[in-house]
Amino acid sequence: MAPKQQDFAAMLKEMMSAFPVDTKAFDDSFKSSATLNEKLSNVAIEAAGRSTELSAKWTKDMLARAAELSKAKAEPADYAKAMSDFATYQAETANEQMSAFAEIVKKAQMDTVELMMAAGKEFGDDFNANVQKAQTAAKKTTI
């Protein structure tokens, strides 16, 4: 008589049922991650939009100044003055524009830090709640 073969599928199923897994925690984690990614993407997109608007405004302004610079002048000294005025204006506005870009970056950085701090707090709260559930479940199984 041949020995009876063990049903490994049944054994695996029995073993897995002894260690129940709450998939709700995985679902909640995925949803939290997706929400955080959405918020971080919005911060980046907003910063990129503001940066683009600033660049476009600065470019239009510089092109208008360049158009003034390219106009015909009556005297050769007027060309030198126009070039000097253009260079002076460009140097002055470059500092202002860089400051404006820095403000955009600063706001994006602060928004990102706020989101990460909130996510860290939420993660800590969820972790503590899951530890409490696990401890409660462990106590129930040992009693």
Side-chain angles (χ1 to χ4, degrees):
M1 189 162 156
K4 184 178 179 187
Q5 287 194 343
Q6 295 181 354
D7 185 1
F8 288 107
M11 285 176 41
L12 184 61
K13 186 175 181 181
E14 184 180 330
M15 183 182 75
M16 292 304 288
S17 67
F19 299 102
V21 177
D22 182 13
T23 58
K24 183 181 181 313
F26 292 112
D27 291 343
D28 291 346
S29 175
F30 179 79
K31 289 176 186 175
S32 295
S33 177
T35 302
L36 176 62
N37 287 337
E38 178 184 2
K39 290 176 183 178
L40 289 172
S41 294
N42 286 339
V43 168
I45 290 168
E46 180 183 339
R50 291 179 60 209
S51 176
T52 301
E53 288 171 3
L54 183 61
S55 293
K57 181 181 176 290
W58 190 15
T59 301
K60 285 181 182 180
D61 191 37
M62 283 297 130
L63 290 173
R65 297 281 176 164
E68 285 296 317
L69 180 65
S70 67
K71 288 184 179 177
K73 313 284 190 253
E75 297 293 322
D78 292 340
Y79 287 102
K81 182 178 180 331
M83 185 59 117
S84 174
D85 290 346
F86 179 79
T88 301
Y89 180 78
Q90 193 171 15
E92 289 172 357
T93 59
N95 189 32
E96 293 172 12
Q97 297 301 320
M98 291 303 116
S99 294
F101 281 121
E103 287 300 316
I104 292 169
V105 171
K106 182 179 168 184
K107 182 182 182 327
Q109 182 181 25
M110 293 303 296
D111 290 348
T112 301
V113 168
E114 284 179 22
L115 287 172
M116 296 308 284
M117 294 290 288
K121 183 182 180 318
E122 183 180 328
F123 174 77
D125 293 345
D126 289 346
F127 180 78
N128 289 335
N130 287 333
V131 167
Q132 291 293 334
K133 287 179 188 177
Q135 287 175 341
T136 303
K139 286 179 185 176
K140 286 181 182 178
T141 58
T142 58
I143 295 177

